[in-house]
């Protein structure tokens, strides 16, 4: 929820100013947690109470059915229950159905819930092979083109100009787009973007429909206006006509959907179109503590939230050696918060891409903590993961088993995973999910393939326990509009946030706004973290997100990777240091002094000989049969790396 629930507490001065601006045009710039929903619902109620508008003549538009439902509930509580609060698509569908007899003598078209069946038919017609991820990416490209009002014959040129990364070359996607439209026309069906196009066209081209719509709806309120795309703006202008009773609400700092065609320019440039508009800035953040707000303000220079949530703990930034260690650290802190009385449902772990959820699903399941994955399927429920595991299982039954090789290499080969991520957002996320399976194999490199498949089955079973009142796992995009007492923003490394394919200044700025959204979801506890390696014991080559230095307090040292402690009395050989680090961890697990595992002389002898197998390791002085049995797999794994 954005801001407090309606309560007897009075409106603050800025909210009151918004409520009193009952005639348009009005632009409300509402920062995170500043109570924008409270302000606009009270404004609508004031319009009804002062008889500026009849409730039946007001249309409030938002972007999700959840937000529309919340708005209707608040309006009912304020005595304005007859006001319509709908999404763009819901309002357009209602109007199109009503006016269809005036537009056509035939039956109304069928509305398709998914573009994928039509895309598959279009691809078959063109004899273009599309795997499931590519199908979803083509659907995203078509949605973007329609939202941006790009004609089918202009897609390729427009996609290149916009810096799009389609799954196929732009000319092929353009042909698929055209074939997609042909198939829809032949089948008498339309998609959700077509609903907006057809409704706008009906109002623009049929005067009687325009008069009827504008008689019904005379006053408009648009929430989350920073997320409006050109097609939605066209429909809004068709509804509005030459009138100015329009109130828009939004936050430029929360513009995170440009990849879908959304443009904050309509909000930012509102005064250019409406020079006499009333502009109100909501800046008092009722959601977060002063400490959380201070961090958010460092990320968005030029705009300042004023914290109203009192004092709280200082937000933390933590560096870890690898992702499993990061997940373990986060889970340990979650358990500590739980002991302090923070409910698990009030805790969230937020990440940039959905594939990052796997390590946190595993860590939470291992700790016996329930969780809920929001805005995406659980890791083992994702189509590409299920298909990948099926391939691994099939290889076990094959009459021609694969050549012996290290487990990570074998898994990568069987999954047929490319070395570099593909183009296309969905295809890239699918690649990340398969890469996460390889990452799991890297954590147990000496295991056999049957052992690895059994491990995957055990993880899948453990993580399918029905989550009740658990920790929320969500991408930063899926977290927008929500809030929790405690928020962990994880995986903050360059290449993930900002994402690798964000190369232009505008794209980097959007990645920064995405982090801002994550930070401002926290009411009281905020933890930021990153890991310098992906897999346990892996090469520590990652760098912290460039945004982390921007978040540190003035005078604080820059964020850098942690240096592993160098055991005294040993050489600087990286292999010796890696073996010594492993020895320390193993000694702690076994509750014995480090020298009982291996003494310094034996570690240096192993590093000098670099044994390739058990036989060569057995020849190293200090490695007897018992230690060979206990430690050979670990030592050989470290040597190979």
């Amino acid at each position: 929820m954005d801001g407090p629930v309606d309560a007897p507490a009075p409106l603050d001065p800025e909210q009151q100013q918004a409520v009193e601006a009952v005639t348009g045009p009005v632009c409300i710039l509402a920062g995170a947690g500043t109570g924008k929903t409270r302000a606009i619902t009270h404004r609508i109620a004031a319009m009804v109470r002062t008889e500026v508008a009849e409730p039946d003549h007001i249309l409030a538009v938002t972007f999700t059915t959840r937000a529309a439902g919340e708005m209707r509930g608040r309006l009912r509580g304020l005595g304005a229950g007859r006001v319509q609060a709908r999404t763009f698509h819901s309002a357009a569908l209602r109007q199109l159905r009503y006016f269809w007899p005036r537009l056509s003598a035939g039956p109304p078209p069928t509305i398709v819930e998914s573009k994928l069946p039509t895309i598959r038919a279009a691809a078959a017609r063109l004899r273009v092979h599309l795997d499931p991820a590519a199908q979803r990416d083509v659907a995203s490209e078509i949605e973007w083109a329609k939202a941006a009002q790009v004609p089918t014959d202009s897609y390729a040129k427009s996609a290149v100009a916009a810096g799009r990364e389609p799954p196929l070359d732009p000319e092929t996607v353009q042909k698929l787009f055209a074939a997609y439209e042909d198939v829809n026309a032949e089948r008498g069906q339309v998609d959700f973007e077509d609903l907006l196009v057809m409704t706008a066209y009906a109002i623009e081209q049929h005067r009687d429909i325009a008069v009827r719509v504008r008689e019904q709806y005379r006053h408009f309120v648009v929430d989350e206006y920073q997320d409006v795309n050109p097609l939605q703006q066209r429909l809004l202008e068709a509804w509005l006509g030459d009138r100015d009773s329009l109130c828009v609400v939004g936050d430029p700092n929360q513009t995170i959907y440009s990849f879908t065609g959304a443009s904050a320019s309509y909000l930012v440039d509102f005064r250019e179109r409406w020079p006499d508009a009333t502009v109100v800035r909501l800046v008092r953040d009722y959601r977060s503590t002063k400490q959380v707000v201070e961090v958010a303000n460092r990320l968005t220079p030029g705009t300042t939230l004023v914290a109203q949530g009192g004092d709280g703990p200082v937000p933390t930034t933590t560096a870890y050696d690898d992702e499993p260690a990061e997940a373990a650290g986060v889970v340990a802190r979650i358990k500590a918060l739980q002991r302090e009385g923070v409910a698990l449902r009030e805790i969230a772990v937020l990440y940039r891409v959905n594939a990052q959820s796997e390590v946190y699903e595993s860590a939470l399941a291992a700790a016996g903590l329930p969780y809920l994955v929001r805005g995406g399927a659980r890791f083992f429920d994702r189509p590409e993961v299920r298909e990948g595991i099926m391939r691994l299982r099939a290889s076990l039954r094959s009459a021609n088993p694969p050549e012996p090789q290290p487990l990570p290499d074998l898994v990568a080969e069987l999954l047929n995973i490319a070395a570099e991520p593909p183009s296309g957002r969905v295809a890239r996320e699918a690649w990340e999910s398969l890469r996460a399976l390889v990452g799991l194999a890297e954590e147990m490199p000496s295991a056999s393939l049957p052992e690895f498949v059994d491990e995957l089955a055990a993880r899948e079973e453990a993580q399918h326990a029905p989550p009740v009142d658990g920790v929320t796992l969500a991408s930063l995009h899926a977290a927008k509009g929500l809030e929790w007492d405690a928020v962990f923003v994880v995986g903050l490394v360059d290449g993930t946030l900002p994402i690798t394919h964000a190369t232009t200044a505008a794209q980097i700025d959007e990645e920064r706004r995405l982090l801002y959204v994550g930070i401002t979801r926290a009411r009281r506890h905020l933890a930021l973290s990153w890991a310098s390696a992906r897999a346990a014991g892996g090469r520590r080559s990652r760098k912290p997100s460039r945004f982390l230095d921007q978040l540190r307090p003035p005078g604080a040292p820059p964020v850098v990777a942690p240096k592993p402690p160098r055991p005294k009395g040993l050489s600087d050989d990286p292999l010796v240091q890696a073996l010594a680090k492993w020895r320390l961890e193993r000694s702690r697990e076994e509750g014995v002094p480090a020298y009982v595992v291996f003494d310094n002389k034996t570690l240096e002898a192993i590093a000098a000989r670099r044994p390739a197998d058990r036989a060569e390791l057995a020849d190293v002085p200090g490695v007897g049969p018992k230690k060979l049995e206990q430690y050979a797999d670990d030592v050989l794994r470290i040597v190979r790396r």
Side-chain angles (χ1 to χ4, degrees):
M1 306 298 180
D2 200 334
V5 179
D6 288 322
L11 298 163
D12 68 34
E14 294 81 20
Q15 291 172 341
Q16 188 64 41
Q17 182 185 357
V19 169
E20 292 174 355
V22 291
T23 57
V26 177
C27 177
I28 302 174
L29 298 173
T34 56
K36 67 179 178 66
T37 306
R38 186 169 194 246
I40 59 176
T41 51
H42 276 78
R43 178 185 180 273
I44 292 170
M47 293 172 68
V48 174
R49 186 174 61 253
T50 59
E51 299 183 350
V52 167
E54 291 291 328
D56 295 335
H57 293 165
I58 302 172
L59 179 59
V61 186
T62 188
F63 280 80
T64 66
T65 54
R66 181 187 63 82
E70 180 193 350
M71 190 176 292
R72 286 194 294 269
R74 294 196 184 203
L75 288 170
R76 281 194 300 271
L78 294 169
R82 286 163 51 199
V83 172
Q84 291 288 311
R86 295 182 174 275
T87 64
F88 273 100
H89 292 95
S90 171
L93 177 59
R94 191 166 184 255
Q95 293 174 20
L96 194 63
R97 282 175 172 167
Y98 181 83
F99 291 112
W100 187 257
R102 303 190 194 186
L103 298 171
S104 173
T110 301
I111 300 165
V112 292
E113 296 286 333
S114 169
K115 292 180 173 64
L116 298 183
T118 310
I119 287 171
R120 287 192 286 269
R125 181 171 294 187
L126 297 176
R127 297 184 179 179
V128 174
H129 172 71
L130 295 177
D131 62 30
Q135 293 169 23
R136 296 195 295 274
D137 271 323
V138 169
S140 295
E141 290 304 299
I142 292 173
E143 288 170 8
W144 168 79
K146 291 192 170 192
Q149 300 191 94
V150 174
T152 53
D153 58 0
S154 300
Y155 167 82
K157 181 178 179 181
S158 299
V160 171
R164 304 290 295 179
E165 291 190 0
L168 307 169
D169 64 90
E171 289 76 16
T172 300
V173 176
Q174 179 169 304
K175 293 175 182 176
L176 285 166
F177 185 11
Y180 168 88
E181 296 286 68
D182 290 342
V183 172
N184 272 343
E186 292 165 9
R187 295 179 177 180
Q189 61 190 30
V190 297
D191 58 30
F192 286 114
E193 289 76 31
D194 292 331
L195 285 180
L196 306 191
V197 172
M198 296 168 72
T199 305
Y201 182 85
I203 297 171
E204 293 163 350
Q205 301 298 320
H206 296 263
R207 179 172 175 77
D208 59 327
I209 293 177
V211 169
R212 182 69 184 88
V213 169
R214 292 167 187 167
E215 281 180 352
Q216 176 66 52
Y217 296 117
R218 306 176 188 182
H219 313 275
F220 297 87
V221 177
V222 184
D223 193 13
E224 302 287 2
Y225 195 54
Q226 79 278 349
D227 291 333
V228 162
N229 62 46
L231 176 55
Q232 291 162 336
Q233 179 67 18
R234 174 186 171 187
L235 178 58
L236 177 61
E237 291 174 0
W239 284 336
L240 195 62
D242 58 2
R243 299 166 298 177
D244 67 356
S245 188
L246 171 65
C247 173
V248 299
V249 190
D251 180 8
N253 289 325
Q254 296 189 67
T255 304
I256 59 173
Y257 289 107
S258 295
F259 67 93
T260 67
S263 173
S265 63
Y266 301 116
L267 176 66
V268 174
D269 300 334
F270 193 79
R271 282 291 288 269
E272 291 187 15
R273 178 174 181 185
W274 308 99
D276 298 328
T278 299
V279 177
V280 181
R281 297 180 183 273
L282 304 184
V283 296
R284 301 172 198 256
D285 184 342
Y286 296 92
R287 173 186 300 154
S288 305
T289 63
K290 178 180 74 173
Q291 289 77 8
V292 172
V293 169
E294 284 175 352
V295 173
N297 283 340
R298 292 188 201 116
L299 200 58
T300 55
T303 58
T304 303
L305 293 173
V306 181
Q308 308 292 304
D311 278 322
V314 176
T316 62
T317 300
T318 308
Y320 293 92
D321 289 342
D322 48 62
E323 281 188 8
E326 183 179 12
V330 167
V331 169
R333 292 195 60 185
I334 287 173
K335 293 173 77 172
L337 288 171
Q338 187 183 28
R339 288 193 295 270
E340 294 171 14
V342 179
L344 292 180
R345 66 176 177 276
E346 291 295 348
I347 301 174
V349 179
L350 307 181
Y351 36 77
R352 175 62 178 87
V353 295
N354 287 326
Q356 290 174 270
S357 76
E358 189 281 328
V359 68
Y360 294 93
E361 293 180 52
S362 296
L364 288 165
L369 296 176
Y371 63 88
L372 168 70
V373 180
R374 187 180 184 93
R378 291 183 185 185
F379 181 79
F380 286 102
D381 288 342
R382 293 171 193 159
E384 62 274 9
V385 173
R386 297 182 73 85
E387 181 181 346
I389 293 175
M390 287 175 61
R391 287 188 193 177
L392 298 178
R393 288 173 177 161
S395 71
L396 297 178
R397 301 189 297 268
S398 173
N400 299 307
E403 293 293 325
Q405 56 185 305
L407 180 65
D409 297 341
L410 175 58
V411 171
E413 178 183 304
L414 293 173
L415 295 178
N416 194 28
I417 182 171
E420 298 296 328
S423 298
R425 180 175 57 88
V426 177
R428 186 181 293 108
E429 288 192 359
W431 181 88
E432 288 281 1
S433 294
L434 294 179
R435 183 64 188 81
L437 286 177
V438 178
L440 290 176
E442 290 172 351
E443 293 179 22
M444 43 190 304
S446 59
S448 66
L449 184 60
E451 290 170 337
F452 180 65
V453 170
D454 288 344
E455 172 67 13
L456 293 178
R459 287 174 179 249
E460 182 176 2
E461 182 179 0
Q463 293 165 33
H464 277 183
V468 179
D469 192 22
V471 176
T472 298
L473 300 178
S475 71
L476 290 165
H477 282 102
K480 190 171 182 297
L482 304 173
E483 59 186 72
W484 296 269
D485 284 346
V487 168
F488 295 83
V489 186
V490 300
L492 293 176
V493 294
D494 264 347
T496 301
L497 192 71
I499 199 77
T500 305
H501 55 271
T503 55
T504 67
Q507 290 168 337
I508 296 295
D509 283 344
E510 181 135 336
E511 295 291 298
R512 181 182 291 105
R513 292 192 295 270
L514 198 53
L515 178 55
Y516 174 83
V517 166
I519 289 169
T520 55
R521 301 309 95 193
R523 298 192 193 104
R524 183 170 178 81
H525 303 274
L526 174 65
L528 311 173
S529 62
W530 67 285
S532 54
R534 180 167 195 147
R539 184 166 171 248
R540 296 166 62 180
S541 57
R542 290 171 161 184
K543 295 181 179 179
S545 169
R546 67 195 72 177
F547 302 140
L548 287 177
D549 271 340
Q550 189 176 342
L551 295 178
R552 60 191 173 94
V559 176
V560 295
K563 291 184 178 180
R566 187 173 74 86
K568 295 180 181 180
L570 289 172
S571 75
D572 290 326
D573 184 334
L575 178 52
V576 173
Q577 296 301 314
L579 288 167
K581 180 173 180 282
W582 161 81
R583 177 182 66 177
L584 179 61
E585 294 170 352
R586 193 65 185 257
S587 69
R588 287 171 176 170
E589 290 174 7
E590 297 177 1
V592 298
Y595 69 83
V596 173
V597 178
F598 283 127
D599 61 22
N600 290 354
K601 188 175 181 180
T602 302
L603 292 188
E604 291 181 339
I606 292 171
R609 298 196 183 191
R610 283 173 163 70
D613 53 30
R614 283 175 172 260
E616 292 183 10
L617 179 60
D619 288 337
V620 176
V623 180
K626 184 176 180 181
K627 291 187 178 182
L628 186 69
E629 181 65 29
Q630 285 180 287
Y631 306 130
D633 289 343
D634 287 350
V635 170
L636 292 173
R637 171 177 56 82
I638 294 168
V639 171
R640 279 196 294 269
R641 290 183 177 176

